[in-house]
Amino acid sequence: MSQMKMTDGPVDWECAHCDTPLSPGKVSLDYMGSRFTVELMRCPTCGFVYIPEDLAMGKMAEVEGILEDK
Amino acid sequence: MDQKELRELERKCIQDEPPFCKAACPIHVDARLFVGHMARGKLRDARKILDKTMPFPAILGRICDHPCETQCRLKESGDAIAVGALERACITHTTSSKKIFKLPPKDTKIAIIGSGLSALTVALDLTKKGYPIHLFDGAPKPGGTLCDIPASLLPREAIDDAITQLKEGGASITMDTPITPERFETLCDTFDAVYLGYDGKNEGPLGTVFPMDKRGLTNRENLFAGGKIKGNSPVYLAAQGRWAATSMDRYLQKVSMTAGRETEGPVPSRLYTNMKDVVPAPKKMPASPETGYTSDEAEIEARRCIQCECLECVKVCAYLEKHKGSPKAYVRQIYNNLSIVKGTRTINTLINSCNLCGLCETVCPTGFSMADVCHTTRQHMVQIGKMPPSAHEFALLDMTFSNSDDFFLTRHAPEETKSQWLFFPGCQLGGSSPQHVTDAYAYLRKNLHPQTGLMLACCGAPAHWGGDDARLASVMEKIKGAWTTMGKPGLITACSSCQSIFTQFLPEAETVSIWDIMAEKGLPAGSQGTQSQMMPLAIIDPCTARHEKGVQKSVRSLLTDLGTKVEELEHSGEHTECCGFGGNMSNADPAVADEILKRRISQSPLDYVAYCIVCRDHLASAGKRVHHILDLIWPEHTAPNPGFSMRQENRLRLKSTLRETLWHEKCPEAEAYRRIPLQISEDALKTIEGRRILKEDIQKVLHHVKNGGKGLKNPKNGHRLAFYKPLKVTFWVEYEERDDLFVIHNAYCHRMTVAEGGR
Ligand code: SF4
Ligand code: SF4
Ligand code: SF4
Ligand SMILES: [Zn+2]
């Protein structure tokens, strides 16, 4: 999933803290000693990263499983 | 597991032993596979099997005297499969496309005397190996005793074709050349090796019989001979040719004449095949015995073959079936998996999802225990740090919860200062049926002994199942410490998993099942005969009580006293099945656990009765009506399958209720996050439970937000989204805050973390 683009355009979520719409940005994800850089929606002001449900329960879960079997 | 242990385990599973027919065949034609193809009308595939193993299938396939049939498993209860006649049919209805594939020619010369079936086989096998063959025979036509067989059975073209095949392979064939003793000596002197084929003729081509053994060795160094064992049996002639060819090749290569030849010729098979459900059918007779089976007749006969194999364990275990092999194959895969240094361990799920129920061991003819293999492998994986973190974590966290102050409790009976007995209801009964813990505890104090203390805890089974010895040891230490402080009273369990854990890991304690006590002391007043109006119930023995004959009996007698008519399932008692909870299976592979449940609930249309609360909940979750025996004794307190979150809440409440009502202790208020009120629709709860997310996890996220944690908002619908990572898993919750409660719309989780500075 390294270097993958994970954002499919604008989302309805906004940062509740900064009152700002989210925008795409590069984010590093870590698990079991591996790091992936992906593009995710985040708050441009405070950096809060939004992990959508389908990513968490789909691709991320799959990659977690693969890394756990390494 | 080292190489040696692996090999011992592999040997223990006899699934790959040859079928009886193949083992009895002197040249080990795979008759099971051959007949299998014939049964499906696949004559070409069947022919390939014969072509692969038989020398001259067009000859031997027609005339084989089929010693395999004497060992066919079906012979015990009727007619053996007519393997010989099927081979003949296959040969008559197909042609071979097989060519000799030769190795580069060798510069050693071989003479063969005679042209019967053994001599021709030597010629063929050695030609294939690249030896230049010179065959001599005094007769005008080749074939030896083959020429005595009626042409209606063995058409002469078959012999001619064999000769052509040999010639094409480079053999030189000289007929009509009498073998005088002088000629014979010359051949022995000028050729590197000589074969003398008796082939059913008493004195052989030379008129002299040399002493010889099965492998064709004689008392002369480069002379080999065969064709005298078992008279004129065609398959033995072919076999002797084959064995002699092997000996000659080894002699010329100067390698061991004996190594690795133990299985040459007919051998006994260790295979086991269950004949229980086999209905014997008579052998199909060909309409015309002269010409043999038509292909239709052959198919009918072949379909009688039961394709002998063992797989006793696979037949009773959906988990073994799912992974599509036999334990023999699995141990090899597990061994390989353990040997991986870098790369993906592809069968971790296989290792972690066996429910360790032990059924395989009880049905296996050699007592192979897949449970032991999986369990020791898990221990090893934990030791070397290669256990996937998510495999058993949910169950282990639940265990940690039950042994924390949230649930753990030990007390002497109210007003008592000593304990003769200690009731250990277990975490699951406390979670699923808390009121029955209270009922049973009161019963014990009244009917067994007033000095019966109480211990609320988890016995450590999840750690044991997950192979986590260190965690199991620390649980045992805690339990043992508390039990010792209580004065080492007798332990009363209400769960057979606790019982089996204590028997193994706390052997110094006297452990007895509550069912034994109840059977002895009698049902609580008023419950006798209350169930006599009900339909019979089919009884579910928990897998951990498989060998607890006494407990099984006690439960049955209690049910009878209740007035219940008990029906036995086919898989009960020693042969009972696991509900899918054991070994943390439902955690590691929910799909296979579901399959097991599905099969279990369809074994009887009757309602079930269980005496393990987890069995009740699991079976009920699949839609079956299941009672726990305590549901029948104290029916007013029944609430099946509360789900994961509710179990934890029940335990919390059980502890505080008991403390307040029995010991008049004042309990501290629940922690702040636990007091956050939630509203979750049934659908949302189902999704959330399926993801193994607890209400407690959700409350922690909300607590985090209440304490300044950041989050997202959706201006369109007013929903909020926030996350929190209490331990290893990050939980996200989508919610709305309404008046005094939180409406939960969704929750999901992941284990990856956003790197530092990324947030
Ligand atoms: S039943 Fe079939 S597989 Fe079994 S021994 Fe007979 S021929 Fe072989
Ligand atoms: S689930 Fe039970 S029967 Fe199946 S392999 Fe494991 S221990 Fe054996
Ligand atoms: S029951 Fe299973 S483990 Fe035992 S020999 Fe048969 S296939 Fe192998
Ligand atoms: Zn922000």
Side-chain angles (χ1 to χ4, degrees):
Chain A
M1 78 192 257
S2 201
Q3 302 301 334
M4 253 169 53
K5 203 166 139 61
M6 296 267 177
T7 42
D8 3 298
V11 291
D12 289 338
W13 296 106
E14 294 178 6
C15 181
H17 183 71
C18 316
D19 253 327
T20 322
L22 305 185
S23 60
K26 287 243 181 306
V27 173
S28 295
L29 295 176
D30 289 347
Y31 193 55
M32 309 236 4
S34 294
R35 170 163 292 199
F36 305 90
T37 309
V38 297
E39 188 169 89
L40 287 173
M41 298 302 277
R42 55 189 294 173
C43 169
T45 315
C46 71
F48 187 101
V49 177
Y50 164 55
I51 310 246
E53 178 182 15
D54 52 354
L55 173 63
M57 304 311 292
K59 192 76 198 166
M60 256 171 137
E62 195 184 300
V63 175
E64 285 162 10
I66 295 168
L67 292 174
E68 290 195 354
D69 286 343
K70 284 266 184 249
Chain B
M1 189 178 0
D2 58 26
Q3 280 278 355
K4 194 167 148 253
E5 288 165 317
L6 167 74
R7 238 164 280 130
E8 265 164 33
L9 279 168
E10 280 187 323
R11 204 184 127 69
K12 200 160 181 193
C13 171
I14 40 106
Q15 164 65 10
D16 284 357
E17 281 283 299
F20 310 98
C21 45
K22 179 181 178 187
C25 170
I27 54 170
H28 301 314
V29 169
D30 193 342
R32 177 178 62 187
L33 191 55
F34 164 76
V35 177
H37 288 316
M38 292 297 282
R40 284 185 297 277
K42 300 251 187 239
L43 270 71
R44 293 271 346 128
D45 292 336
R47 177 66 190 253
K48 278 186 202 145
I49 305 300
L50 301 183
D51 287 352
K52 192 173 141 210
T53 320
M54 284 186 167
F56 311 113
I59 298 176
L60 186 56
R62 286 186 163 97
I63 60 170
C64 179
D65 47 321
H66 46 76
C68 56
E69 292 180 20
T70 62
Q71 299 303 314
C72 173
R73 197 75 164 83
L74 286 178
K75 197 154 179 265
E76 286 161 31
S77 53
D79 295 333
I81 295 294
V83 180
L86 288 172
E87 288 177 355
R88 184 182 170 203
C90 176
I91 299 294
T92 3
H93 301 304
T94 55
T95 50
S96 173
S97 52
K98 205 164 180 224
K99 289 247 154 19
I100 294 191
F101 177 79
K102 275 191 311 175
L103 292 177
K106 296 190 164 62
D107 58 4
T108 25
K109 291 196 309 174
I110 291 176
I112 293 174
I113 303 168
S115 64
L117 192 48
S118 88
L120 293 179
T121 302
V122 174
L124 180 72
D125 282 7
L126 293 179
T127 299
K128 283 184 190 162
K129 289 203 151 84
Y131 290 101
I133 299 295
H134 299 264
L135 185 146
F136 307 94
D137 194 354
K141 283 177 96 26
T145 48
L146 292 175
C147 301
D148 305 338
I149 297 170
S152 57
L153 182 56
L154 180 64
R156 293 300 173 257
E157 306 86 76
I159 305 174
D160 298 344
D161 289 350
I163 300 298
T164 313
Q165 190 189 5
L166 287 174
K167 284 184 177 158
E168 278 171 3
S172 94
I173 308 230
T174 318
M175 301 305 295
D176 243 340
T177 157
I179 311 295
T180 60
E182 298 72 34
R183 183 90 205 275
F184 172 71
E185 292 303 330
T186 323
L187 290 176
C188 289
D189 289 345
T190 50
F191 283 82
D192 298 295
V194 176
Y195 178 78
L196 186 53
Y198 288 88
D199 283 330
K201 295 219 165 82
N202 282 341
E203 304 300 312
L206 197 59
T208 327
V209 179
F210 290 90
M212 68 180 92
D213 71 1
K214 180 187 143 194
R215 294 179 176 136
L217 308 188
T218 68
N219 56 352
R220 290 179 62 155
E221 204 204 335
N222 70 339
L223 177 67
F224 298 81
K228 280 204 81 67
I229 307 170
K230 302 262 179 192
N232 218 355
S233 153
V235 68
Y236 272 96
L237 293 182
Q240 289 168 79
R242 174 147 295 168
W243 303 333
T246 304
S247 299
M248 292 165 83
D249 180 39
R250 289 184 177 210
Y251 164 73
L252 295 168
Q253 305 262 7
K254 301 192 171 48
V255 295
S256 161
M257 300 299 277
T258 49
R261 298 182 70 174
E262 303 76 18
T263 54
E264 231 169 39
V267 285
S269 175
R270 291 167 59 233
L271 186 65
Y272 172 83
T273 296
N274 193 334
M275 300 295 284
K276 199 177 70 181
D277 298 324
V278 176
V279 194
K283 179 162 153 179
K284 173 79 190 164
M285 291 300 175
S288 150
E290 275 290 287
T291 47
Y293 287 134
T294 62
S295 30
D296 287 346
E297 289 169 335
E299 203 174 313
I300 294 170
E301 171 61 6
R303 271 197 248 123
R304 290 200 306 124
C305 168
I306 55 170
Q307 294 288 302
C308 293
E309 60 178 351
C310 176
L311 295 187
E312 286 297 291
C313 55
V314 179
K315 288 184 208 160
V316 297
C317 172
Y319 152 80
L320 287 172
E321 190 187 304
K322 168 175 175 170
H323 294 276
K324 298 197 170 31
S326 65
K328 188 185 190 105
Y330 299 149
V331 282
R332 163 83 38 183
Q333 290 170 19
I334 289 174
Y335 178 81
N336 292 340
N337 202 67
L338 287 176
S339 322
I340 291 171
V341 182
K342 250 187 139 33
T344 305
R345 291 153 204 268
T346 48
I347 55 151
N348 281 344
T349 305
L350 173 91
I351 298 164
N352 281 317
S353 55
C354 164
N355 58 41
L356 311 181
C357 71
L359 179 56
C360 48
E361 187 178 358
T362 56
V363 298
C364 172
T366 66
F368 186 102
S369 170
M370 190 67 186
D372 286 352
V373 173
C374 288
H375 184 243
T376 45
T377 308
R378 290 179 201 179
Q379 289 175 311
H380 180 75
M381 287 163 73
V382 173
Q383 272 163 26
I384 61 169
K386 287 292 178 193
M387 177 59 85
S390 62
H392 302 280
E393 193 176 80
F394 186 74
L396 290 171
L397 286 174
D398 197 42
M399 177 187 86
T400 307
F401 171 90
S402 295
N403 288 331
S404 72
D405 287 342
D406 288 332
F407 186 60
F408 193 87
L409 178 81
T410 39
R411 293 284 183 275
H412 292 300
E415 327 280 323
E416 300 288 348
T417 51
K418 309 200 280 246
S419 291
Q420 304 295 323
W421 292 97
L422 184 62
F423 181 36
F424 191 96
C427 60
Q428 297 298 336
L429 189 64
S432 287
S433 222
Q435 190 55 44
H436 284 151
V437 171
T438 312
D439 296 334
Y441 185 41
Y443 168 92
L444 289 169
R445 277 174 295 142
K446 179 156 181 262
N447 296 280
L448 175 66
H449 203 291
Q451 291 179 331
T452 300
L454 180 71
M455 184 185 287
L456 299 182
C458 166
C459 67
H464 179 58
W465 291 337
D468 198 331
D469 293 342
R471 261 151 122 164
L472 174 65
S474 84
V475 171
M476 280 334 285
E477 200 182 293
K478 180 160 185 164
I479 292 176
K480 190 176 171 181
W483 168 75
T484 309
T485 315
M486 299 284 283
K488 304 192 175 179
L491 272 177
I492 302 164
T493 59
C495 163
S496 51
S497 298
C498 305
Q499 175 95 18
S500 101
I501 292 282
F502 291 145
T503 315
Q504 290 175 71
F505 302 104
L506 196 61
E508 50 280 60
E510 180 200 343
T511 311
V512 39
S513 153
I514 188 168
W515 317 123
D516 285 343
I517 292 177
M518 283 191 140
E520 195 198 314
K521 302 285 171 196
L523 288 169
S527 54
Q528 292 88 346
T530 46
Q531 304 300 314
S532 50
Q533 300 308 315
M534 280 180 51
M535 291 280 289
L537 300 176
I539 190 163
I540 297 288
D541 293 298
C543 59
T544 36
R546 175 183 315 290
H547 301 297
E548 301 287 338
K549 291 236 161 28
V551 175
Q552 294 168 12
K553 219 173 124 212
S554 296
V555 171
R556 283 161 177 76
S557 96
L558 281 172
L559 286 168
T560 310
D561 292 348
L562 281 162
T564 311
K565 281 172 279 311
V566 177
E567 291 258 338
E568 296 290 343
L569 293 172
E570 190 192 339
H571 287 161
S572 69
E574 194 188 10
H575 289 126
T576 194
E577 292 172 8
C578 172
C579 67
F581 174 72
N584 305 334
M585 172 188 255
S586 51
N587 218 2
D589 189 349
V592 73
D594 282 351
E595 175 61 27
I596 283 183
L597 273 181
K598 213 167 82 203
R599 292 191 190 182
R600 189 60 160 163
I601 62 170
S602 57
Q603 288 171 354
S604 167
L606 295 172
D607 289 358
Y608 289 173
V609 58
Y611 50 103
C612 164
I613 198 72
V614 180
C615 291
R616 183 199 71 176
D617 285 355
H618 269 229
L619 293 163
S621 75
K624 185 79 180 172
R625 270 175 62 96
V626 194
H627 311 270
H628 188 268
I629 182 169
L630 294 179
D631 299 336
L632 305 179
I633 298 177
W634 291 291
E636 62 278 17
H637 296 143
T638 303
N641 198 30
F644 299 119
S645 293
M646 199 56 194
R647 282 194 193 99
Q648 293 204 347
E649 281 172 42
N650 281 340
R651 282 178 214 145
L652 278 168
R653 202 166 315 125
L654 175 65
K655 174 174 175 175
S656 53
T657 313
L658 285 173
R659 284 181 68 192
E660 278 160 13
T661 56
L662 292 182
W663 289 280
H664 310 295
E665 295 171 17
K666 178 125 185 54
C667 297
E669 208 181 359
E671 280 168 81
Y673 73 88
R674 288 200 204 280
R675 282 181 275 129
I676 297 178
L678 305 181
Q679 181 186 311
I680 313 180
S681 72
E682 226 169 86
D683 277 355
L685 190 61
K686 220 173 143 204
T687 311
I688 292 167
E689 288 252 327
R691 291 172 175 174
R692 303 286 197 269
I693 298 173
L694 300 171
K695 278 189 192 164
E696 176 190 61
D697 301 321
I698 293 175
Q699 287 168 321
K700 283 180 183 165
V701 175
L702 298 173
H703 184 71
H704 172 71
V705 175
K706 283 179 141 210
N707 287 287
K710 288 190 211 161
L712 303 173
K713 62 176 180 192
N714 183 338
K716 285 195 182 149
N717 58 12
H719 290 189
R720 297 260 170 172
L721 185 66
F723 77 91
Y724 183 62
K725 178 170 173 269
L727 287 163
K728 290 184 183 141
V729 178
T730 303
F731 298 98
W732 287 80
V733 178
E734 184 176 341
Y735 63 96
E736 259 172 291
E737 201 171 348
R738 263 195 222 150
D739 306 327
D740 289 332
L741 56 76
F742 288 86
V743 180
I744 307 303
H745 294 291
N746 194 11
Y748 54 92
C749 55
H750 54 81
R751 289 171 172 269
M752 289 194 154
T753 51
V754 173
E756 278 305 311
R759 234 163 213 158

